[in-house]
Amino acid sequence: MAQPLVKKDDDRDDEMDYSPFMGIEKGAVLQEARVFNDPQLDARRCSQVITKLLYLLNQGEAFTKVEATEVFFSVTKLFQSKDIGLRRMVYLIIKELSPSADEVIIVTSSLMKDMNSRTDMYRANAIRVLCRITDGTLLTQIERYLKQAIVDKNPVVASAALVSGIHLLQTNPEIVKRWSNEVQEAVQSRAALVQFHALALLHQIRQNDRLAVSKLVTSLTKGSVRSPLAQCLLIRYTSQVIRESGISQTGDRPFYDYLESCLRHKAEMVIFEAARAITELNGVTTRELTPAITVLQLFLSSSKPVLRFAAVRTLNKVAMTHPMAVTNCNIDMESLISDQNRSIATLAITTLLKTGNESSIDRLMKQITNFMSDIADEFKIVVVEAIRSLCLKFPLKYRSLMNFLSNILREEGGFEYKKAIVDSIVILIRDIPDAKEGGLLHLCEFIEDCEFTYLSTQILHFLGNEGPKTSDPSKYIRYIYNRVILENATVRASAVSTLAKFGALVDSLKPRIFVLLKRCLFDSDDEVRDRATLYLNTLGGDGAVVETDAEVKEFLFGSLDVPLTNLETSLKNYEPSEEAFDIHSVPKEVKSQPLAEKKAPGKKPTGLSAPPVAPTSTVDAYERLLSSIPEFASYGKLFKSSAPVELTEAETEYAVNVVKHIFDSHIVFQYNCTNTIPEQLLENVSVIVDASEAEEFSEVASKLLKSLPYDTPGQTFVAFERPEGVPAVGKFSNTLRFIVKEVDPSTGEAEDDGVEDEYQLEDLEVVSADYMLKVGVSNFRNAWESLGADCEKIDEYGLGPMEGLTEAVNAVISLLGMQPCEGTEVVPSNSRSHTCLLSGLYIGNVKVLVRLSFGVGGPKEVAMKLAVRSEDISVSDAIHEIVASG
């Protein structure tokens, strides 16, 4: 059923206009379609019925095969009408109905007749329809007509043929590639659209030949392209050639000179396209950016909103890598803060925040204050993130920026907006020591009226970790206890835990905390009462300290050594018995998330996020399997098992993957094999491993697989010894060896005699990351401080040119094989610096924490400061060696 199309009237806001198609039904329209069969055709009536059919098709109305066939055959009768308007509707409905191969024959002759008609409108539309519904066989018959149409004097006909060629290139590339000469001729056409479509098709024909594309661009940049649309395409192709060929921007540089010459074109679209292309070139210098920035600055004062938006968006991107190059545009951008288009105003604000200097911050804050109330939450979040980056850039201005964040935190807004502000304040507190006390007070004032339970609990958790370390912790107690009295049960329970943390760390507050916790024993909620009881007993609420100070602090602030999801699963699987639950039996490894569940690239890091968790490890199952094999039973406790590594391509005769099992001084390769050939039985299956490129490893044991029937997985093992405590790496070549026996399909019995055969597998590598378990920590800062600086090692490294900080962060995480903490693996899109926190368990069960500080120096040059703390200085050294050699 069609829906009404509503619009407001000038006189009465509640008056509604309805779509002329409202209430039409498929059955009624199909009945009306009988007019197509009338001896005397009414062109106007037929056009109206086709319009209704097209509307139903575009609304997703399903036509049965019979209904579609009947409509199609009825429509073909309309070719006898000479009405031009009706003929155009006929072309449209034939395209939408997508007739089958049998039905296409019915209209082919009519369409081919129209394709050779003297009426240009018929010719152009007939070409489009034929190319849409035809297959490869018919295409060869009309190829001659299409070639002629490409060089036709009428631009409408030529464009129709060229656009059809672009579509046909996806299904019949070999035929379309034979049109190169005609398309080349069309590129020289004086008609703007013909030249545009011809260039697009010619590039697609040659796109897989880099040299041919380069020659095409070289020939066309000499001035034969007149169409502004084609010029824009050529600019994009020129940029592509520069990127792919790695042409230096020094010396002879005809492609860059062409882009610069386009900045003086009379068409605004060409000027903008050239400016944008120059700003996106790899390794572009400030001097080369200057002419592009100049024309973009002129666009900022244009009367056309689209030009202002395009210019300020491009400058916003440039400001991420070359902020100083954009500073000359700051005055023009300040005038855009009051632009009626809120998107333009938001981009102007964020660009100014990236390029502004310390002296302009106060003026900007005044302008932004008036601006914030007029924009939606999604734009406000962008501004908040830009302000956070600015504060980290100019830490001395933290007071004015923190006050601004505090003021907007108390205004109306949704959850994501408030969370962005809270996260920004938390990050500023962590990174700017002088901002701690003021920032914590701002957060305390916010939770007084906070309507979001999640934010309240996260703020209380953060307050419990940071508040006791301030000069006057007592001033936060009132805010915390108010949450116990006034909030819901979830927040009350969180507030009780926060009070306990203050009592554990601040001796002078302990008597006061005891009194408050005893009041909580009468709360109506079980969780609140249980927590109060637990903390009173832990802290020695009756006057006798039942735990040492170190034990209390470890209980309240220590990180949980196992992922919460793993703990939850183990508790669910635990069967009550006389033997108590052992937390040491919980797997510590955090498995990687499936690709579909990973965070979106654009998602920003949060200041209060918990460490990521993942499904339970399968280490226990592997350990039981390996301990049951006598050859491996003496290797000790299994440290880690890797994810399966595929050693064969998909859809091959034999499917093999391998799991690497890491022990203290051994490594066992478990080859999981599957026979995918029904007519074969494999016996005495083994893998011959060549360790010539892994000199520190020596083979000590193997276990073959006696029989591998069709589609029944089996395992064969090879074990190597390596120096204990040494993270040895190397490459292993693998060959599957077996005896193959033919199987009788009728009986399923295998022949007695077999033939020895081999099957080459992919190489396998043991890397440094194999000796590291991904183990998260719930509070990185506390874990970092608890390890102390005795086993800390810090050094700086140059990572060379990279596409961005995201690439650098991912590369180091992959190299070390550690678990990112607190969402720090996600780099904000506008950052030129970033800190990433990693945690893990090194071979030998040694805790390791890593703090990575990245920064962008020269043209895409990334530098990194690596700080490592662990329980063993030799492990800290080993982490640095891995990075230095990686």
Side-chain angles (χ1 to χ4, degrees):
M1 184 73 70
Q3 297 298 318
L5 184 68
V6 182
K7 73 172 186 179
K8 291 186 177 180
D9 189 74
D10 291 339
D11 300 322
R12 293 181 58 192
D13 288 345
D14 57 342
E15 189 174 331
M16 299 185 351
D17 271 355
Y18 292 91
S19 164
F21 303 105
M22 182 183 179
I24 65 172
E25 296 180 355
K26 183 179 72 172
V29 176
L30 291 174
Q31 290 290 328
E32 289 184 62
R34 293 180 179 178
V35 300
F36 301 159
N37 301 315
D38 290 349
Q40 298 295 324
L41 290 174
D42 183 342
R44 187 170 179 275
R45 178 92 185 279
C46 291
S47 294
Q48 290 175 342
V49 175
I50 292 177
T51 302
K52 292 179 181 179
L53 288 168
L54 289 169
Y55 176 80
L56 290 172
L57 287 168
N58 281 282
Q59 290 298 309
E61 188 75 50
F63 281 57
T64 66
K65 177 67 175 173
V66 174
E67 289 170 345
T69 302
E70 288 180 356
V71 171
F72 174 75
F73 279 111
S74 299
V75 166
T76 59
K77 297 177 182 179
L78 299 180
F79 275 104
Q80 60 186 304
S81 173
K82 301 299 181 184
D83 187 88
I84 293 179
L86 177 59
R87 183 66 62 87
R88 297 179 71 179
M89 299 301 293
V90 170
Y91 293 135
L92 284 175
I93 192 67
I94 290 175
K95 279 205 301 181
E96 291 298 323
L97 286 172
S98 299
S100 64
D102 295 336
E103 296 166 348
V104 166
I105 300 172
I106 307 299
V107 292
T108 299
S109 59
S110 298
L111 290 171
M112 290 184 69
K113 181 180 177 182
D114 283 357
M115 198 166 66
N116 294 294
S117 169
R118 293 183 179 180
T119 307
D120 290 332
M121 191 279 296
Y122 286 2
R123 295 168 61 203
N125 283 298
I127 288 170
R128 284 194 171 93
V129 177
L130 263 176
C131 292
R132 172 73 176 268
I133 67 176
T134 191
D135 59 10
T137 307
L138 181 60
L139 188 59
T140 56
Q141 299 176 27
I142 64 171
E143 183 182 4
R144 179 168 59 88
Y145 300 108
L146 293 174
K147 283 185 175 182
Q148 291 173 356
I150 288 174
V151 292
D152 196 275
K153 292 180 180 179
N154 188 295
V156 176
V157 175
S159 277
L162 289 164
V163 171
S164 298
I166 292 172
H167 292 303
L168 289 171
L169 196 63
Q170 311 304 317
T171 54
N172 297 277
E174 296 306 318
I175 294 177
V176 178
K177 287 177 181 178
R178 296 201 294 258
W179 306 350
S180 291
N181 292 337
E182 287 76 15
V183 178
Q184 184 80 53
E185 185 178 340
V187 170
Q188 308 303 322
S189 172
R190 288 184 170 275
L193 272 180
V194 174
Q195 193 172 49
F196 169 63
H197 291 141
L199 179 56
L201 178 55
L202 191 59
H203 178 266
Q204 286 198 26
I205 290 173
R206 300 182 180 181
Q207 63 182 350
N208 294 323
D209 186 344
R210 187 178 294 181
L211 181 60
V213 172
S214 180
K215 288 181 178 179
L216 172 66
V217 170
T218 302
S219 64
L220 293 178
T221 52
K222 295 177 181 177
S224 58
V225 177
R226 301 179 184 86
S227 163
L229 287 169
Q231 196 99 356
C232 290
L233 267 186
L234 184 56
I235 289 170
R236 295 184 182 183
Y237 299 155
T238 304
S239 300
Q240 178 188 343
V241 171
I242 293 175
R243 283 195 303 272
E244 292 178 351
S245 59
I247 296 172
S248 173
Q249 295 301 307
T250 59
D252 187 23
R253 46 180 194 175
F255 291 134
Y256 175 81
D257 292 339
Y258 167 72
L259 295 179
E260 194 173 22
S261 69
C262 290
L263 297 174
R264 297 182 288 276
H265 198 277
K266 60 183 179 181
E268 291 169 337
M269 71 169 78
V270 176
I271 297 172
F272 170 72
E273 194 68 41
R276 188 170 68 92
I278 290 173
T279 61
E280 293 176 354
L281 289 177
N282 292 331
V284 66
T285 64
T286 303
R287 183 181 64 81
E288 291 161 347
L289 275 175
T290 301
I293 300 295
T294 302
V295 298
L296 291 172
Q297 185 175 4
L298 294 174
F299 284 168
L300 291 175
S301 55
S302 170
S303 59
K304 300 176 182 178
V306 67
L307 281 181
R308 298 199 301 274
F309 175 78
V312 74
R313 184 175 65 169
T314 305
L315 289 171
N316 186 278
K317 291 179 181 177
V318 176
M320 296 178 191
T321 53
H322 297 82
M324 295 308 296
V326 185
T327 52
N328 290 337
C329 306
N330 283 4
I331 295 175
D332 298 275
M333 281 189 287
E334 284 190 29
S335 64
L336 294 180
I337 295 177
S338 56
D339 196 284
Q340 291 181 347
N341 186 311
R342 296 290 85 185
S343 298
I344 295 174
T346 305
L347 284 167
I349 282 287
T350 53
T351 308
L352 285 167
L353 291 173
K354 293 170 190 170
T355 60
N357 52 43
E358 202 163 358
S359 60
S360 65
I361 289 178
D362 293 330
R363 185 179 75 255
L364 275 176
M365 288 300 102
K366 290 179 182 178
Q367 292 177 291
I368 296 173
T369 302
N370 300 327
F371 161 81
M372 290 292 281
S373 59
D374 298 332
I375 59 174
D377 278 6
E378 58 184 309
F379 294 127
K380 291 179 181 177
I381 292 172
V382 175
V383 175
V384 168
E385 290 169 350
I387 289 173
R388 179 181 70 203
S389 299
L390 185 68
C391 192
L392 294 174
K393 184 179 177 182
F394 301 113
L396 294 178
K397 304 297 292 186
Y398 77 88
R399 289 186 188 278
S400 59
L401 296 172
M402 188 73 85
N403 287 335
F404 173 81
L405 292 174
S406 173
N407 290 334
I408 61 175
L409 188 58
R410 289 193 288 268
E411 295 175 358
E412 292 294 323
F415 171 76
E416 292 297 337
Y417 172 48
K418 293 299 180 73
K419 185 173 182 296
I421 302 172
V422 170
D423 287 340
S424 296
I425 293 176
V426 166
I427 289 171
L428 296 182
I429 290 172
R430 286 176 175 171
D431 291 359
I432 305 176
D434 291 342
K436 178 179 286 188
E437 298 207 13
L440 289 175
L441 277 177
H442 289 317
L443 293 177
C444 288
E445 291 167 359
F446 169 63
I447 59 172
E448 293 278 284
D449 302 309
C450 180
E451 57 184 307
F452 303 110
T453 298
Y454 173 81
L455 288 182
S456 295
T457 55
Q458 293 299 298
I459 290 172
L460 286 167
H461 174 73
F462 181 70
L463 189 60
N465 293 330
E466 300 295 332
K469 302 172 187 176
T470 59
S471 59
D472 185 11
S474 61
K475 61 185 174 185
Y476 306 112
I477 301 300
R478 173 175 64 86
Y479 296 101
I480 300 170
Y481 188 67
N482 282 346
R483 299 305 98 215
V484 178
I485 301 171
L486 304 173
E487 282 286 1
N488 60 48
T490 303
V491 178
R492 295 203 304 273
S494 182
V496 169
S497 297
T498 303
L499 285 173
K501 290 180 179 180
F502 275 78
L505 291 179
V506 186
D507 290 337
S508 61
L509 289 177
K510 191 171 286 190
R512 183 180 174 187
I513 298 298
F514 287 156
V515 173
L516 297 178
L517 289 177
K518 285 180 179 179
R519 292 179 186 174
C520 297
L521 295 174
F522 302 99
D523 194 274
S524 60
D525 184 72
D526 291 343
E527 175 76 13
V528 176
R529 294 197 304 273
D530 288 349
R531 288 198 187 195
T533 303
L534 172 65
Y535 294 137
L536 279 170
N537 291 334
T538 303
L539 295 171
D542 297 327
V545 179
V546 296
E547 305 281 356
T548 65
D549 284 347
E551 289 172 332
V552 170
K553 290 176 183 176
E554 175 63 25
F555 174 71
L556 289 172
F557 298 99
S559 60
L560 193 63
D561 286 341
V562 294
L564 290 177
T565 302
N566 294 5
L567 176 61
E568 180 185 7
T569 305
S570 297
L571 287 170
K572 286 180 179 178
N573 295 335
Y574 171 70
E575 295 181 2
S577 63
E578 295 181 0
E579 185 177 348
F581 177 79
D582 183 8
I583 195 169
H584 297 294
S585 66
V586 180
K588 295 182 178 181
E589 184 174 10
V590 178
K591 290 290 185 183
S592 299
Q593 289 176 290
L595 186 62
E597 297 176 4
K598 287 187 179 178
K599 293 181 179 179
K603 191 168 183 179
K604 303 292 186 291
T606 61
L608 296 173
S609 59
V613 294
T616 305
S617 165
T618 54
V619 169
D620 282 349
Y622 283 136
E623 190 162 21
R624 286 194 295 271
L625 172 65
L626 294 169
S627 61
S628 67
I629 301 173
E631 291 90 337
F632 313 137
S634 62
Y635 291 174
K637 185 171 177 59
L638 177 63
F639 172 70
K640 175 184 178 180
S641 295
S642 73
V645 179
E646 297 296 333
L647 299 181
T648 56
E649 299 289 340
E651 307 300 329
T652 54
E653 301 96 314
Y654 314 111
V656 180
N657 64 51
V658 61
V659 177
K660 295 174 277 188
H661 301 296
I662 311 296
F663 294 86
D664 284 342
S665 58
H666 293 83
I667 182 167
V668 177
F669 296 146
Q670 173 185 327
Y671 295 93
N672 302 309
C673 309
T674 304
N675 173 18
T676 63
I677 304 177
E679 297 81 12
Q680 288 186 0
L681 170 68
L682 307 186
E683 293 185 347
N684 295 337
V685 181
S686 63
V687 176
I688 308 304
V689 183
D690 178 5
S692 58
E693 295 185 59
E695 296 177 354
E696 294 180 274
F697 294 84
S698 57
E699 185 174 336
V700 291
S702 63
K703 179 177 174 57
L704 58 76
L705 176 62
K706 292 185 178 179
S707 177
L708 187 63
Y710 164 67
D711 204 25
T712 303
Q715 296 85 32
T716 177
F717 300 84
V718 180
F720 286 83
E721 189 176 24
R722 58 174 180 78
E724 187 170 356
V726 176
V729 298
K731 181 185 288 187
F732 300 81
S733 300
N734 306 282
T735 304
L736 188 67
R737 181 175 292 176
F738 48 85
I739 296 174
V740 59
K741 294 183 176 181
E742 296 296 328
V743 175
D744 187 341
S746 58
T747 63
E749 297 293 328
E751 295 180 356
D752 294 334
D753 297 328
V755 179
E756 286 194 9
D757 200 358
E758 292 184 350
Y759 188 82
Q760 188 63 45
L761 305 175
E762 298 287 339
D763 291 346
L764 170 68
E765 284 192 275
V766 173
V767 296
S768 301
D770 290 325
Y771 299 99
M772 183 73 71
L773 263 179
K774 290 184 176 182
V775 177
V777 293
S778 57
N779 187 311
F780 186 89
R781 187 164 195 163
N782 286 344
W784 180 266
E785 292 175 356
S786 67
L787 282 177
D790 294 340
C791 296
E792 181 178 23
K793 184 171 181 182
I794 303 173
D795 207 344
E796 295 182 356
Y797 301 89
L799 303 184
M802 291 192 169
E803 286 301 315
L805 290 181
T806 299
E807 181 186 351
V809 171
N810 292 338
V812 178
I813 292 175
S814 176
L815 177 66
L816 296 177
M818 300 180 72
Q819 177 64 38
C821 301
E822 301 178 4
T824 54
E825 74 275 20
V826 182
V827 182
S829 58
N830 58 350
S831 289
R832 289 181 58 78
S833 60
H834 183 69
T835 299
C836 181
L837 311 175
L838 306 176
S839 67
L841 199 65
Y842 195 67
I843 184 79
N845 292 316
V846 181
K847 290 182 182 178
V848 185
L849 297 177
V850 167
R851 191 191 297 269
L852 302 166
S853 300
F854 296 89
V856 179
K860 300 200 174 181
E861 291 284 337
V862 177
M864 179 184 74
K865 180 180 179 182
L866 171 63
V868 183
R869 286 189 181 183
S870 71
E871 297 173 325
D872 186 338
I873 189 63
S874 65
V875 173
S876 300
D877 291 334
I879 299 298
H880 277 273
E881 288 175 12
I882 292 170
V883 173
S885 60

